Amino acid sequence: MNEITESADDAIDSTQEPTRPQPDPVAAREEFLKIYPDKTRKKRAKQLLVNSDPEKPSEIGANTRTIPGIMTQRGCTYAGCRGVVIGPMHDVLHITHGPVGCSFYSWQTRRNLARPQPGQTNFLQYSMTTDMMENEIIFGGEKKLAAAIREAYLIFKPKAIAVYSTCPVGLIGDDIHTVCRLAKAELGINVFGFSCEGYKGVSQSAGHHIANNGVFKHMVGLNDTPDEDEFRINVLGEYNIGGDAWEIDALLRKCGIHVTATLSGDISYEQVTRCHTVDLNVVQCHRSINYMADMMEKKFGIPWIKVNFIGAQTTAKSLRKIAKYFDNPRLTNRVEEVIAQEMATLRPVQEAMKTRCKGKTAALFVGGSRAHHYQDLFKDIGMTTIAAGYEFAHRDDYEGRAVLPTIKVDADSRNIEEIEVEADPKRFRPRKSDEQNAALAAGGFSYKDYEGMVKEMRKGALIIDDISHHELEKLIKIYKPDVIASGIKEKFIIEKMGVPCKQLHSYDYGGPYAAFTGAANFYKEIDRMVNTKVWKLVSPPWKQDPQIPARLVYQTKADRAESEESNKTWKSPLKAADEEG
Ligand code: CFM
């Protein structure tokens, strides 16, 4: 038994197979693809795979443009930068330079909660924008931006202001960086901009990268004062959705591990400026923040490991790995004590929910990390993930970081700046000696070790990148999963088709789901969803009042003629009923 990863008391049965016989995945895949025109089919085929050998994941088409006409769940680059990575910093003032819609739709739509300390400010409830109008689009918006920064400063007196470019700003060429530099000199506070125009990348993923670069350049390293606590870490890629970061923080504190900064859940500007003083970075969401982890390692010598605090067994494994890194008997014992205590409370809930959920199936289509992480929570209660995919992750998030050197750089990824980082002449400090690292490696410990989603999925599962609405509907019809974990854009279609949908971005107002305490919430929530009878009573409107049949593409002329004919004679059943009186 590998002592880092397993222990008899928290081991779970991960060989669980679904109770109902499952469809043939190869035939299902064919069915998904057959409606597409040739070119589209060829492209989608690369993004839609059957997991034929989990040990050797096939190369997946990921992080490429969505084909126009396909309904995608993706967001834009601005969303990934302003909304995801930097937006949660609660005392930084965020100004969107653009038309009002971009700001309005990023106004508290993500549940990144904050509980500022006494004396700290919280601007999260505000949404600030330059509200560009035709005038600025034609004659330039730099003056309006400068005025907005000045005005916001006078009202709120923040320590830092971040400015975000939207699509039209990139198109007309406003130089936000010069405006920010001048404002910084004028106001004497930190002001910096992000060229995160919505169109800049193929998804919000580009925005993560742009945000990482900017936070690293403009904030990290400004204050060298370390916290006095021992075992100091940062939790990177945890955004406190529904309070997850608070559960993780409380658990770590119980173990005696100190979190200097969580990037960026419930974090203050000041914490970001000092986060380079820790001894270890642990990465929760690899997709959104791996850049930061790598840059901090190069410049300051802080190593990083991948963790996962979603799922009981994975949480235990992550705690043990952190303890192993610090290699301190006191900490190691304490971690074991905490795991034993937490599992003693959680196990009865887990067992009870398992008897009710065992053998049921789930499909997950979320973002760039949750579609992987949440499979562990389902596994905890005996459920099987039959299909999963990310919206915008890259190949390494599917196949593991080993494929990084083989990822082709295309025109879209080249568009995003890769910043050159060198060791800081004064502040670079290796956290472990070569001997210590050799001993860790001999004990099975590895750094930067994200293995990706596919290896942990069962043979025969479907892996679907950037799933389309059409494919989702087919999946529901063919597989009838007991629950789908997904987002708000598709939630109600799924539910109208009689399948419960757990919204895994904002948690449908629920959560937290992280750490042992959060796991109990999730098990109970999923039990309620998969065991209620209400879904069998749903009759979607299109079954009662079918719409005119329309086709995406006509394969043959006869096809088209048939469709046109049926349109002519089609009558709404409701109308027919009316006419009959
Ligand atoms: Fe990371 Fe996220 Fe996610 Fe993400 Fe997101 Fe999110 Fe997400 Mo929505 S940072 S990749 S861009 S874990 S907002 S907190 S839930 S899509 S899976």
Side-chain angles (χ1 to χ4, degrees), residues 9 16 30 66 72 91 104 111 119 121 127 153 218 247 265 276 306 313 333 344 460 491 502 507 530 546 564 579:
D9 12 297
Q16 180 64 50
E30 289 305 312
T66 303
T72 171
D91 56 356
F104 181 80
R111 289 180 67 224
T121 40
S127 182
Y153 173 75
H218 298 292
E247 296 308 307
H276 62 296
K306 177 74 181 66
Q313 198 191 28
N333 291 339
K491 179 178 174 84
K502 180 65 203 162
Y507 298 162
V530 300
E564 283 171 356
E579 281 168 11

Side-chain angles (χ1 to χ4, degrees), residues 491-516:
K491 179 178 174 84
F492 299 103
I493 305 272
I494 296 169
E495 298 198 329
K496 282 175 187 169
M497 293 180 81
V499 177
C501 175
K502 180 65 203 162
Q503 227 262 72
L504 269 193
H505 299 259
S506 72
Y507 298 162
D508 292 315
Y509 317 101
Y513 298 135
F516 301 100

Side-chain angles (χ1 to χ4, degrees), residues 61 162-163 212 296 306 346 428 461 486 511 529:
V163 172
N212 277 236
M296 284 177 76
K306 177 74 181 66
L346 183 62
F428 181 90
S486 183
M529 295 181 87

